[in-house]
Amino acid sequence: MSERIVTPGRMTLAELRAVLRGNDRITLAGDWQSAVDRAAQTVTDVIAGGDVVYGVNTGFGLLARNRISDDQLRELQVRLVRSHQTGIGAPLEDDVVRLILVLKAASLARGASGVRTRVVDHLIDMVNAGILPVIPEKGSVGASGDLAPLAHMSGALIGEGNVRVNGEVQGASDALKAAGLEPISLRAKEGLALLNGTQVSTALALKGLFAIEDVFRAALVAGALSVDAMKGSDTPFDPRIHDLRGHQGQIDVASALLRLMDGSRIRESHVDCDRVQDPYSLRCQPQVMGACLDQIRNTARILEIEANAVSDNPLVMSEDGQILSGGNFHAEPVAMAADALAVAAAEIGALSERRTALLIDPAMSGLPAFLIAEPGLNSGFMIAQVTSAAVASENKSLAHPASVDSLPTSANQEDHVSMATFAARRLMPMAENTSTIVAIEILAALQGMEFHKPLTSSPPLETVRATVRNAVSPYDEDRPFTADIEAVKRMIASGALAQGVAGITPSVS
């Protein structure tokens, strides 16, 4: 197993993507132990001085007015972890849980949470041992942090609840023992520091971000293929048009489309045709996809900040010996970022579905009806486009913003919440839907190009065609589509589709 070194407070999106999608051994860099030790000592000193501090020697939420005696402080933390394990639904996937553990460890390692170094080490030890807590996906409103899911995570640290090891569910205590690890005994404030925080919603949002980035790149390729398949014009991608508007995403998308189509023999064959303008889903790709790219880039910036943030409460300022109660646990930045990503994912899919609809319409595309020989006997891409429309419609509903909703909790003490966890969790179903739409368009566009042979497309697009054709043959007559769609989706997710156009599609994050 190779080692991946990450620095608390300075983790990059590339590193976070590698943590999510890889299995490297994780090491935290820098002298983080000193800062953590100072903050833990501050908590000890505050308790010894008799001060009353929220979450250290008080109850929680509306019960913050209840003082807890010193001899009950450790029990307070254990009961907090147990009482907050209210999650329901399917367990979060292992890759997300792995990222949650790393995000939580890195946050605590910033030295503002008041935990001991042992707590941080324990989180990393579990990651490296492949011990991943079973965390139900539902139950967080994204304020006071992701309380319920992080409570399930924390239960595993103290040897309670279940974990997954190599995909198999085991009791946490047994799994820790088998790995040579001891359950942790929580001290003052440590349970609260573990439960407070936005690490679950952030991990879910990051997974959605990375998947939507992959789909975005594939959608640019699909759009270029469709322009060529319908003998559309590349004039709308002229950089002079986009420089006059000034949006960077639009400029970058137009440039990518021009480069993707450069050298196409199909394009050269109809330069002097009498078509005046293409439909918007072809012609306005820079404007629509560029707006999506700007949103994705801004979201990536926000999530990178949040991934490195200290988001529990209260926070320990060891330099001043103070413990301050604030609201960094409120996940509104994540919720709004996830909502923006959802809109972008829906629009990427909406534009792609419209291009597929054009391709199968002989009046618009100039190609055989439904892209098949002997239409009537064969139905061709008729129902593939229906599937595309179905999931595009699903995305419209899923794109409704979650961050505008709020239900008060904890007897109105927590009277405004972010709903960030659901906002982030719905991104993967949306990315999956959009991947389906784009995969269908790629298949349809390549089928359309079959009717232009012996003319060829550009070198980059011909590389894409060869990649797809290695797995999916052209449609000479009707056959089931599902396996072909899934094959292209795997190419999108693995990056195989983008390899042939590396350096042409714009940087996403």
Side-chain angles (χ1 to χ4, degrees):
M1 182 184 295
S2 59
E3 182 181 33
R4 180 161 298 278
I5 301 173
V6 296
T7 302
R10 297 181 183 177
M11 294 182 293
T12 66
L13 288 170
E15 289 172 340
L16 294 166
R17 188 183 292 107
V19 170
L20 178 76
R21 296 181 173 179
N23 196 34
D24 295 339
R25 182 176 181 82
I26 303 299
T27 300
L28 298 182
D31 185 24
W32 59 269
Q33 293 94 339
S34 297
V36 170
D37 287 340
R38 287 194 298 271
Q41 186 60 49
T42 299
V43 172
T44 299
D45 294 344
V46 165
I47 294 170
D51 293 343
V52 177
V53 179
Y54 171 73
V56 176
N57 49 16
T58 72
F60 307 99
L62 193 66
L63 303 177
R65 298 181 182 89
N66 295 14
R67 172 70 186 268
I68 309 300
S69 63
D70 289 355
D71 63 344
Q72 293 181 305
L73 295 185
R74 294 192 182 189
E75 183 64 21
L76 172 70
Q77 301 301 309
V78 174
R79 293 191 186 189
L80 172 71
V81 170
R82 289 172 177 163
S83 69
H84 284 50
Q85 291 181 45
T86 60
I88 60 168
L92 294 176
E93 294 178 326
D94 286 352
D95 57 351
V96 174
V97 176
R98 174 180 163 84
L99 183 56
I100 291 168
L101 292 171
V102 173
L103 292 178
K104 175 56 78 174
S107 177
L108 298 179
R110 294 282 303 276
S113 302
V115 304
R116 294 163 294 152
T117 57
R118 171 159 163 65
V119 176
V120 180
D121 286 335
H122 198 53
L123 286 162
I124 297 299
D125 287 344
M126 288 181 66
V127 171
N128 291 335
I131 300 173
L132 303 174
V134 174
I135 302 177
E137 65 180 0
K138 298 180 183 179
S140 174
V141 296
S144 271
D146 294 312
L147 291 172
L150 287 174
H152 287 276
M153 177 202 77
S154 303
L157 268 69
I158 63 174
E160 298 182 2
N162 291 325
V163 298
R164 277 204 298 259
V165 180
N166 296 322
E168 295 186 2
V169 176
Q170 303 178 18
S173 180
D174 292 339
L176 290 172
K177 184 177 181 181
L181 301 175
E182 292 286 335
I184 201 162
S185 177
L186 297 174
R187 295 187 182 177
K189 195 185 177 302
E190 290 181 340
L192 183 59
L194 287 165
L195 266 61
N196 256 190
T198 64
Q199 286 77 33
V200 173
S201 52
T202 302
L204 287 165
L206 284 168
K207 182 171 182 177
L209 168 68
F210 300 146
I212 291 167
E213 288 177 349
D214 293 337
V215 174
F216 174 86
R217 293 187 187 95
L220 280 185
V221 173
L225 288 168
S226 290
V227 172
D228 237 10
M230 285 185 276
K231 292 190 173 181
S233 174
D234 58 3
T235 298
F237 311 144
D238 188 304
R240 293 170 292 181
I241 296 171
H242 308 287
D243 288 344
L244 285 169
R245 196 173 198 185
H247 292 293
Q248 192 60 52
Q250 178 177 329
I251 292 168
D252 292 347
V253 167
S255 174
L257 288 168
L258 271 182
R259 294 174 66 193
L260 284 168
M261 296 182 64
D262 185 40
S264 169
R265 299 298 184 188
I266 298 173
R267 173 64 183 124
E268 292 172 5
S269 73
H270 62 93
V271 169
D272 297 322
C273 70
D274 58 0
R275 184 185 296 178
V276 178
Q277 288 184 329
D278 293 325
Y280 287 0
S281 61
L282 300 180
R283 182 173 18 132
C284 297
Q285 288 185 77
Q287 290 78 8
V288 178
M289 292 291 282
C292 293
L293 177 56
D294 285 336
Q295 290 299 316
I296 294 169
R297 285 171 169 169
N298 186 53
T299 296
R301 179 186 62 83
I302 291 168
L303 293 179
E304 184 175 61
I305 292 170
E306 191 67 20
N308 286 286
V310 180
S311 56
D312 60 289
N313 186 66
L315 297 177
V316 181
M317 310 300 168
S318 55
E319 299 85 352
D320 305 315
Q322 292 183 303
I323 301 179
L324 305 181
S325 185
N328 278 4
F329 50 69
H330 201 296
E332 195 79 356
V334 180
M336 287 188 171
D339 283 345
L341 265 181
V343 171
E347 282 297 272
I348 293 166
L351 199 67
S352 176
E353 183 278 327
R354 287 293 80 204
R355 292 191 297 264
T356 299
L358 289 177
L359 283 161
I360 66 173
D361 183 347
M364 299 299 295
S365 69
L367 296 165
F370 303 109
L371 303 172
I372 196 75
E374 298 186 86
L377 176 62
N378 290 308
S379 296
F381 278 74
M382 180 189 296
I383 306 304
Q385 187 267 330
V386 171
T387 296
S388 186
V391 294
S393 182
E394 278 189 20
N395 272 359
K396 292 177 184 180
S397 295
L398 288 169
H400 184 279
S403 60
V404 299
D405 187 28
S406 178
L407 286 172
T409 60
S410 193
N412 285 307
Q413 175 74 4
E414 299 160 4
D415 59 347
H416 182 277
V417 299
S418 72
M419 300 299 177
T421 320
F422 169 68
R425 180 163 50 84
R426 58 71 141 94
L427 291 176
M428 281 308 296
M430 293 190 72
E432 180 79 6
N433 285 343
T434 306
S435 180
T436 296
I437 297 166
V438 172
I440 290 171
E441 183 191 358
I442 288 170
L443 291 171
L446 290 177
Q447 179 72 4
M449 288 167 60
E450 293 292 319
F451 297 101
H452 299 318
K453 287 183 173 180
L455 294 175
T456 57
S457 187
S458 66
L461 295 183
E462 286 297 332
T463 299
V464 171
R465 186 193 331 221
T467 299
V468 175
R469 287 291 177 243
N470 282 334
V472 181
S473 60
Y475 297 84
D476 298 322
E477 60 182 34
D478 284 341
R479 67 172 189 261
F481 274 89
T482 300
D484 296 344
I485 295 168
E486 292 298 333
V488 177
K489 286 173 65 177
R490 287 192 295 272
M491 295 176 195
I492 293 171
S494 69
L497 193 76
Q499 286 177 0
V501 294
I504 297 178
T505 54
S507 171
V508 181
S509 61

